Amino acid sequence: MIEVDLEEEKREIIRRYRKLLRHAKPILKSGDARIIKKAFYMSMEAHKDMRRKSGEPYIFHPLEVAQICVSEIGLGTTSIVSALLHDVVEDTEVELADIERGYGKKVASIIDGLTKIAGVFDQGSSQQAENFRKMLLTLSDDVRVILIKLADRLHNMRTLGSMPRDKQLKIANETIYLYAPLAHRLGLYAIKSELEDLYLRYTDGDAYRHIASKINATKDARSKFIRNFIKPIKDELNGQSFQYEIKGRPKSIHSIHNKMKKQNVPFEEVYDLFAVRIIVDTELENEKAACWQAYSIVTDYYQPNPDRLRDWISIPKSNGYESLHTTVMSGRGQWVEVQIRTRRMDEIAEKGYAAHWKYKESKNGDADKGLELWIGKVREILEQNDASAIEFVDDFRSNLFQEEVFAFTPKGDLVTMPNGSTALDFAFDIHTEVGAHCLGAKVNQKLVPLNYVLKNGDQVEILTSKKQKPNEDWLKYVVTSKAKSKIKDSLKEEKKQFVVEGKEVVKRKLKQLKIGFTQEALMQLTDHFDVKTPTDLFYLIGKGKIDHSLIKKFNEKKEEEHKYRRVTDPKGMQSQIKKVREKDFDLLLIGEDMDVVDYKFAKCCNPIPGDDVFGFVTVNDGIKIHRTTCPNAAELLSNYGYRVVKAKWTSSQDNSFLAGLRIIGTDRMGLINDVSSIISGELKVNMRSITINTEGGIFEGEIQLYVSDTKHVDQLIGKLEVVPGVVSVTRDN
């Protein structure tokens, strides 16, 4: 038992509280300090007997969340009070009515938005997704709910080290899936980068440490390079009497890791490892001219890449981000990204939405209008979306977490759409009726089909016909929530009739097979035909897309009873999870304890012994083992964290597991023979298949082979990498 110095703890609490007040002082109005003090003492009293997993007193957490709100987001008194009290309703005896009495409706409403939903959820729903939807409902009234939630999540991620491994995975994946993109969308780039880096640190620690050590090792060389790079620019800016600041910084670990994976290159070959930022101090009316002047100075000394110029000053991003980005070739033959912006733009880029309030009075700009439009779109999705919470979250992410494309109407009005939007999305964005009767479009005076993907600068004219009406294929042509929702509404009426007819057919067929028309039978049918709901099944049968005679085959298969227990209700799912966990203390052993529980390896990531893995309880297929780096991990762990079981390899048996290797190299005579002799000769590994493509002197091969564990794979990769002509060997999922 660790000895706790209570007196020292009290002093530390007061130190943190005073630090908070010190940082908040510039924004406090008369009486604010008194309200913050009252909230602090209420929070301290409510949490007095609680400790965090790290052993620290719980009050540290609300104090740190409030500190992030002030120092890193730039929020005010209402947010500080809400942050200090954000957990009291959820975790203590304090009720929302007490908050409203003591601090008013606004604080109570924010805390209500931050309080998780209690209670039982329907099968197929997810508590995390339901909580996210609830939080977004309050976003349309008060964006501070999301900002405080991001501060809360950032502090949880900073202190994730004290949590058990399964919790780390769940929280980290939920963060990358929902909260990092949300921080990006609200313009909080510093917070977004830190959340992404922390995600990588806890899900792929080796990759994180490798890149961090490389960044550290190259620090001196990088500083020298940046000094030499910016010297002529500084001299010129000084000569032209600019007031400015220049910063050079490495890209985030997560973005470097993404580039390494995407381009399949080592750290040394990622060409834009760092960015140089020029921040100009100038009057509001002179901002644009000053930024372009600075751009002109940079490009006088260094050759720019014309394909890498991004002008977010003329058309700011909808989250308010304004900046000029260019990539230039340095004297040493290295690409360097240069960002040029003013002091105001830099503060908005760092503190996002909150910084807009500061500048709202002085500038009625498009950036602010863009944020209002964005929140309007959030409201629109919330109003239109009657799908499950998980579908809602997916829809929200795909619509609002991606970059934008700018197009124009025939009259020259600017329309901002999500990247990937089509001519049909554009039609629905103009008006529901225009979308519903859309035949096609003219883009830049040329006829294009409905599914034409818009590009920046396209001028779009929509062609309509009264005879045209939406059909199911249209759902494949659109990406925006508005278009999907309106097409679904139009199809609903038509669908109802098919559903009624299909239901009658299913009833009749089940009666013939002497099977009751029960919920269980319907769930088994939907699973067999791989559809989401019984209504979808009725519709497909009613429309003739599923032949009703196949129901007989379903019955034959049903009689062969699957070796995994099927779970057809939420209670059943909970009991299955409970059984798994009771059997082995919340830990699924893989290897010699084959009798602990039935499991399968997930095909999406093909785990092998030695991989960092987790177990996932499926509805119909027992437990699936996934790698923690599986492409589907973020979605599974963020939406269904309660179905995750810790998994660990026991000492490996003489089992073989299928793994894939990808080999790239320069083509030469005898290369394939060298590769295959190492695999099957030297290392006695059985190959299942080998596919080689050669083009222009380059060969690319994919090999499926049987291995015993990750060490075996690493050994194999090491041997293959030294074969003359082989450039890289990587493991494929």
Side-chain angles (χ1 to χ4, degrees):
M1 186 76 181
I2 300 166
E3 281 290 318
V4 176
D5 184 342
L6 294 176
E7 284 308 309
E8 179 51 37
E9 266 187 5
K10 276 182 191 168
R11 285 194 290 274
E12 179 59 24
I13 291 166
I14 296 301
R15 269 197 295 271
R16 293 188 186 208
Y17 167 62
R18 284 182 180 150
K19 180 186 168 192
L20 173 67
L21 281 182
R22 212 167 42 247
H23 282 86
K25 195 176 179 183
I27 51 140
L28 295 184
K29 298 187 191 76
S30 172
D32 283 357
R34 187 178 50 77
I35 297 164
I36 293 169
K37 184 179 181 182
K38 180 179 162 190
F40 165 63
Y41 280 110
M42 183 182 197
S43 181
M44 196 158 67
E45 178 60 29
H47 295 301
K48 68 181 176 189
D49 299 323
M50 296 166 66
R51 289 193 173 266
R52 303 194 82 210
K53 282 268 190 272
S54 60
E56 294 177 335
Y58 196 87
I59 188 66
F60 280 9
H61 173 63
L63 273 169
E64 289 303 315
V65 173
Q67 184 68 49
I68 292 167
C69 286
V70 174
S71 308
E72 298 177 51
I73 307 179
L75 296 172
T77 302
T78 303
S79 302
I80 295 170
V81 170
S82 302
L84 287 169
L85 299 170
H86 78 273
D87 275 336
V88 295
V89 173
E90 192 177 318
D91 296 342
T92 76
E93 301 300 310
V94 177
E95 293 185 2
L96 213 52
D98 303 325
I99 302 287
E100 192 172 331
R101 268 195 305 277
Y103 305 93
K105 276 190 174 170
K106 181 55 73 182
V107 171
S109 161
I110 291 172
I111 288 171
D112 186 35
L114 289 162
T115 302
K116 294 193 185 93
I117 303 166
V120 181
F121 293 90
D122 298 336
Q123 185 200 4
S125 97
S126 148
Q127 188 157 351
Q128 288 97 319
E130 294 285 0
N131 286 324
F132 193 68
R133 171 144 67 178
K134 179 189 177 189
M135 196 170 63
L136 287 167
L137 282 163
T138 36
L139 164 72
S140 49
D141 297 324
D142 196 327
V143 76
R144 286 175 289 192
V145 173
I146 299 283
L147 298 172
I148 297 165
K149 182 64 193 173
L150 284 169
D152 177 40
R153 179 51 57 121
L154 179 58
H155 186 246
N156 283 337
M157 287 296 286
R158 283 174 178 172
T159 53
L160 205 55
S162 56
M163 299 296 272
R165 178 74 180 139
D166 59 324
K167 285 272 169 57
Q168 287 179 350
L169 282 175
K170 178 188 162 299
I171 293 167
N173 278 282
E174 191 180 286
T175 299
I176 202 76
Y177 192 68
L178 293 173
Y179 293 102
L182 187 52
H184 175 79
R185 198 54 166 147
L186 287 168
L188 294 159
Y189 291 105
I191 287 177
K192 171 236 182 196
S193 294
E194 189 177 346
L195 288 175
E196 287 176 338
D197 282 359
L198 287 165
Y199 156 79
L200 188 63
R201 183 176 160 190
Y202 288 106
T203 55
D204 195 347
D206 291 344
Y208 176 88
R209 285 185 290 275
H210 169 72
I211 296 168
S213 68
K214 289 275 189 185
I215 289 173
N216 208 31
T218 56
K219 190 177 178 183
D220 293 341
R222 193 171 59 247
S223 299
K224 187 181 173 189
F225 175 85
I226 289 171
R227 275 198 307 277
N228 292 335
F229 177 85
I230 65 179
K231 188 179 183 307
I233 299 169
K234 283 178 84 167
D235 292 345
E236 191 65 37
L237 288 168
N238 290 334
Q240 296 193 27
S241 303
F242 269 87
Q243 294 295 309
Y244 67 92
E245 180 188 356
I246 299 185
K247 297 176 183 174
R249 56 174 185 83
K251 293 284 180 72
S252 75
I253 293 174
H254 182 265
S255 69
I256 293 171
H257 180 251
N258 272 358
K259 282 197 167 132
M260 286 166 64
K261 269 172 65 181
K262 212 171 173 181
Q263 297 163 9
N264 200 16
V265 293
F267 176 87
E268 290 72 17
E269 288 176 37
V270 177
Y271 74 80
D272 52 350
L273 276 169
F274 50 86
V276 169
R277 184 179 299 161
I278 301 171
I279 301 162
V280 181
D281 283 307
T282 185
E283 296 300 313
L284 200 61
E285 58 275 8
N286 194 36
E287 285 191 334
K288 208 174 194 179
C291 289
W292 282 109
Q293 210 175 331
Y295 170 80
S296 172
I297 289 168
V298 172
T299 54
D300 280 346
Y301 289 96
Y302 302 108
Q303 187 68 40
N305 180 339
D307 296 330
R308 303 270 297 182
L309 175 64
R310 301 285 180 269
D311 174 12
W312 285 302
I313 291 179
S314 304
I315 304 175
K317 290 187 180 184
S318 66
N319 60 21
Y321 183 82
E322 295 172 82
S323 192
L324 266 183
H325 288 201
T326 183
T327 303
V328 298
M329 180 61 78
S330 73
R332 273 180 29 188
Q334 195 171 351
W335 289 108
V336 179
E337 185 186 303
V338 181
Q339 302 169 354
I340 302 164
R341 58 177 76 149
T342 64
R343 184 69 58 194
R344 177 189 68 82
M345 294 172 189
D346 190 57
E347 191 166 350
I348 286 171
E350 291 300 314
K351 292 187 174 169
Y353 194 93
H356 278 276
W357 292 331
K358 180 174 169 181
Y359 293 104
K360 209 168 185 179
E361 304 302 314
S362 58
K363 188 188 182 212
N364 271 328
D366 292 336
D368 206 65
K369 208 165 34 180
L371 276 161
E372 295 305 322
L373 281 172
W374 183 73
I375 287 176
K377 282 186 183 177
V378 174
R379 201 175 285 123
E380 197 175 82
I381 291 185
L382 291 164
E383 284 163 3
Q384 288 169 358
N385 204 300
D386 58 355
S388 75
I390 289 169
E391 283 178 297
F392 164 78
V393 168
D394 288 343
D395 198 20
F396 185 84
R397 286 179 82 249
S398 65
N399 273 280
L400 297 175
F401 288 172
Q402 50 188 218
E403 294 300 327
E404 295 127 349
V405 62
F406 302 105
F408 296 89
T409 67
K411 289 182 179 174
D413 295 327
L414 177 69
V415 178
T416 306
M417 306 285 293
N419 203 15
S421 294
T422 61
L424 189 55
D425 283 305
F426 188 95
F428 275 102
D429 194 74
I430 291 169
H431 195 278
T432 303
E433 285 303 303
V434 173
H437 299 297
C438 178
L439 265 181
K442 275 186 180 178
V443 172
N444 309 326
Q445 273 71 55
K446 286 184 183 171
L447 272 173
V448 297
L450 297 175
N451 60 350
Y452 169 86
V453 178
L454 300 175
K455 297 181 189 71
N456 270 330
D458 278 347
Q459 192 163 23
V460 187
E461 180 189 347
I462 299 298
L463 308 173
T464 60
S465 161
K466 288 281 181 209
K467 291 178 184 173
Q468 180 73 302
K469 63 175 186 174
N471 61 58
E472 276 183 21
D473 286 339
W474 281 22
L475 289 169
K476 298 174 197 163
Y477 301 160
V478 293
V479 299
T480 59
S481 174
K482 182 176 182 180
K484 281 181 189 169
S485 171
K486 297 301 179 190
I487 294 166
K488 283 175 185 171
D489 286 348
S490 179
L491 296 172
K492 264 179 194 169
E493 287 308 310
E494 183 188 11
K495 190 176 179 179
K496 274 180 191 170
Q497 192 49 42
F498 287 123
V499 169
V500 170
E501 290 168 19
K503 192 173 183 179
E504 289 308 312
V505 171
V506 172
K507 272 185 181 172
R508 196 165 62 246
K509 284 283 169 190
L510 288 178
K511 195 175 179 183
Q512 287 169 11
L513 295 166
K514 296 187 171 54
I515 299 172
F517 187 72
T518 62
Q519 188 67 18
E520 187 177 356
L522 289 176
M523 290 305 287
Q524 288 172 345
L525 266 173
T526 56
D527 180 42
H528 175 75
F529 288 110
D530 198 22
V531 291
K532 283 185 178 173
T533 64
T535 306
D536 291 340
L537 178 71
F538 300 150
Y539 170 68
L540 292 169
I541 288 174
K543 201 166 183 187
K545 288 197 173 183
I546 291 179
D547 188 343
H548 54 72
S549 65
L550 294 173
I551 294 175
K552 190 178 177 187
K553 285 188 179 173
F554 149 75
N555 188 47
E556 289 163 7
K557 186 185 175 191
K558 183 173 169 285
E559 284 166 1
E560 287 175 19
E561 206 46 70
H562 201 282
K563 70 172 177 175
Y564 293 108
R565 181 169 301 147
R566 295 185 179 275
V567 179
T568 54
D569 63 278
K571 282 182 184 168
M573 169 61 79
Q574 289 303 331
S575 69
Q576 181 160 336
I577 293 168
K578 199 173 171 192
K579 269 182 200 165
V580 171
R581 291 185 168 162
E582 277 173 0
K583 218 162 193 175
D584 200 55
F585 309 101
D586 197 14
L587 180 67
L588 165 66
L589 297 170
I590 312 158
E592 286 157 16
D593 294 77
M594 297 287 276
D595 59 334
V596 171
V597 72
D598 283 326
Y599 62 83
K600 282 183 175 179
F601 294 116
K603 287 182 182 154
C604 47
C605 57
N606 290 326
I608 60 174
D611 283 338
D612 200 358
V613 290
F614 64 92
F616 185 77
V617 183
T618 64
V619 178
N620 303 310
D621 229 5
I623 289 180
K624 287 272 180 80
I625 305 299
H626 292 262
R627 284 158 68 186
T628 55
T629 54
C630 170
N632 297 320
E635 188 172 355
L636 295 176
L637 288 158
S638 60
N639 281 335
Y640 305 100
Y642 66 98
R643 281 158 62 174
V644 171
V645 182
K646 280 187 276 187
K648 188 173 80 175
W649 300 101
T650 59
S651 59
S652 184
Q653 296 175 305
D654 294 330
N655 280 346
S656 289
F657 298 86
L658 194 61
L661 290 185
R662 183 184 178 83
I663 303 181
I664 296 171
T666 51
D667 198 12
R668 65 168 174 81
M669 285 287 284
L671 181 68
I672 295 170
N673 186 44
D674 289 352
V675 167
S676 54
S677 66
I678 281 180
I679 293 170
S680 48
E682 263 188 68
L683 293 169
K684 306 281 188 292
V685 174
N686 288 326
M687 279 192 287
R688 177 172 158 182
S689 65
I690 180 165
T691 316
I692 302 278
N693 290 319
T694 61
E695 195 176 325
I698 302 289
F699 88 92
E700 201 168 323
E702 285 187 22
I703 305 171
Q704 294 286 317
L705 34 77
Y706 291 97
V707 295
S708 55
D709 55 27
T710 45
K711 280 184 186 165
H712 199 177
V713 175
D714 292 340
Q715 186 188 7
L716 189 53
I717 289 173
K719 290 266 189 186
L720 291 172
E721 278 177 336
V722 295
V723 171
V726 170
V727 174
S728 75
V729 186
T730 51
R731 181 173 160 198
D732 251 354
N733 280 341

